Structure formats: structure tokens, C-alpha cells
Amino acid sequence: EDKVVQSPLSLVVHEGDTVTLNCSYEVTNFRSLLWYKQEKKAPTFLFMLTSSGIEKKSGRLSSILDKKELFSILNITATQTGDSAIYLCAVVCGSSNTGKLIFGQGTTLQVKP
Amino acid sequence: NAGVTQTPKFRILKIGQSMTLQCAQDMNHNYMYWYRQDPGMGLKLIYYSVGAGITDKGEVPNGYNVSRSTTEDFPLRLELAAPSQTSVYFCASSRLPGQGAGNTIYFGEGSWLTVV
């Protein structure tokens, strides 16, 4: 059974802190790993990772994938209250004509002023 | 572009009632997905489709049915609503699986369903 697990499930930090969110997966025919941010509506796309060891970066957010150990991390530096959200990890898996998109349970991040 | 359109946005159902959540996309996407999201949780895949006439079960298909008679539409049917189906439902579509490299997953705005 394909599975994506995120940790921690929830996190409370203060502005300026750095946080690391974890995502591990066990799937058949891994194709890519995606990170999303969700604030009360539909998820918004952050990163897509397909290759090990190559960091993707966007402002204060960065992410990296380890395909040998089957996990990814999402780092947020100098956190702001606007970073408060649910962060979702998703994995695209399956054969070339049956791609599924499986989500983890999410990490709820609260950034306090 | 309308993108992915879900209806209704809000609905209250009584236990045992049936209803259909509609999802339509105007981007000629092959891949369409239905997810449910319980409060504070991630998205769980209910059903997905890789093209017209082809559907497959996801992680939590029990209590739901889908059909894909056209490329544009992917309705989700709840036959005998139960309180456990109270959730937010998201429909999504994409040209290819995954995102990036010229491929984007588009999500609908969500449908809030309460079963009482």
C-alpha cells in the first residue's frame, strides 16, 4: 500500500525561528515528490522534487529529496506569522499511464509573533 | 479560463441521503482526482481517473462512486451519506501526473459537506 507520512503533525514556533518539516514515503514506482502550502482553501504549490540531493529554493523556503532513504525535508528560515498554514507533502507514483497523487497527513505550523 | 469548478460549495445532508458532487474542468486534462480532507489533516485520495472511461480507487473509496463519461466531468456520488463522510472535498485535474516541468495540478475551491 502506498504511504506518505509527515512529521511532526503540528508545530508552534515564534517569529524568526527556523523549522524543518519531514516527509517519508513508501510507494510503488516513485515519480516525484511535491510540497504544498494550504491556508483554509485549496493547496498552493511550493516545490516539485525528482532528483536526490538537489535543493530547491524559493525565498526563505527550501526543500531537498533523498531517494535512497525515501524522505524529503522542507526548511523555512526566519519564519513569519504569514507562514502559519498546513504544509502538505504529496508523492506521484504508479506506472506511466496510471499516475496517482498521494498526500501525507500534513504538518500544521503556527508561527506566533 | 474557468479551471476546475466544483459544485456545490456547501451542503448539509441527512444520514442516508444521496448526492453528487460535480467537478468540471475546461483544460482538456486527462488526469482528475477526488480528495477528502478532514479538519487539520492531509488530503486522502478517494478516486482518480486517467482519462474518459477509466477510473480507479484511491485510498478511501468506500461509500463513494465515480464516473468519467467525458474528459471534462468527474462527478463523485455519495449513495448513503454517513456522518463519517463529513469533510471538505477537493477535485483536482492535470494534464500529466505530478507538477512542474510545464505540468500544473489545478485544484477546485472545495466543497464543504456536513452529514447530520
Side-chain angles (χ1 to χ4, degrees):
Chain A
E1 181 186 339
D2 298 320
K3 190 165 59 173
V4 178
V5 177
Q6 291 185 245
S7 65
L9 294 182
S10 64
L11 195 54
V12 180
V13 301
H14 287 94
E15 275 192 315
D17 288 348
T18 294
V19 297
T20 298
L21 310 182
N22 304 294
C23 175
S24 63
Y25 60 90
E26 290 181 39
V27 301
T28 303
N29 294 327
F30 171 90
R31 297 173 71 177
S32 61
L33 186 143
L34 312 172
W35 283 98
Y36 289 86
K37 179 182 181 182
Q38 186 181 28
E39 300 169 274
K40 297 192 190 302
K41 289 190 177 180
T44 54
F45 173 71
L46 295 174
F47 298 112
M48 182 182 85
L49 303 156
T50 54
S51 301
S52 279
I54 298 175
E55 185 184 53
K56 292 281 183 90
K57 198 168 169 64
S58 176
R60 296 177 293 104
L61 277 65
S62 64
S63 183
I64 198 161
L65 173 68
D66 185 329
K67 289 170 75 173
K68 183 179 175 187
E69 300 297 330
L70 308 182
F71 80 91
S72 173
I73 59 171
L74 174 69
N75 278 322
I76 309 175
T77 59
T79 52
Q80 302 170 357
T81 54
D83 294 326
S84 296
I86 299 175
Y87 289 85
L88 298 166
C89 171
V91 171
V92 181
C93 56
S95 62
S96 59
N97 60 346
T98 61
K100 287 195 296 187
L101 180 61
I102 302 290
F103 281 82
Q105 66 271 61
T107 294
T108 300
L109 173 66
Q110 183 184 358
V111 181
K112 292 187 171 180
Chain B
N1 279 341
V4 178
T5 303
Q6 283 182 240
T7 56
K9 282 194 176 174
F10 301 94
R11 181 74 187 266
I12 298 175
L13 273 182
K14 292 186 178 176
I15 294 172
Q17 284 186 321
S18 300
M19 75 159 297
T20 299
L21 296 175
Q22 302 290 346
C23 177
Q25 51 89 10
D26 60 358
M27 297 168 282
N28 203 33
H29 285 167
N30 284 325
Y31 290 81
M32 294 189 76
Y33 308 87
W34 271 109
Y35 293 92
R36 61 174 286 172
Q37 185 175 32
D38 298 331
M41 303 291 287
L43 278 67
K44 288 205 174 287
L45 182 64
I46 306 172
Y47 272 95
Y48 69 107
S49 170
V50 302
I54 307 169
T55 62
D56 209 346
K57 294 178 181 178
E59 303 165 274
V60 290
N62 291 343
Y64 306 94
N65 276 304
V66 293
S67 59
R68 186 91 182 271
S69 55
T70 66
T71 299
E72 294 77 19
D73 300 300
F74 191 40
L76 177 73
R77 182 142 181 94
L78 286 70
E79 288 295 347
L80 291 170
S84 61
Q85 293 178 303
T86 295
S87 192
V88 182
Y89 292 83
F90 288 101
C91 179
S93 77
S94 63
R95 185 172 58 88
L96 300 169
Q99 183 143 9
N103 188 58
T104 299
I105 298 173
Y106 293 85
F107 284 88
E109 293 188 344
S111 296
W112 274 253
L113 177 66
T114 302
V115 182
V116 295

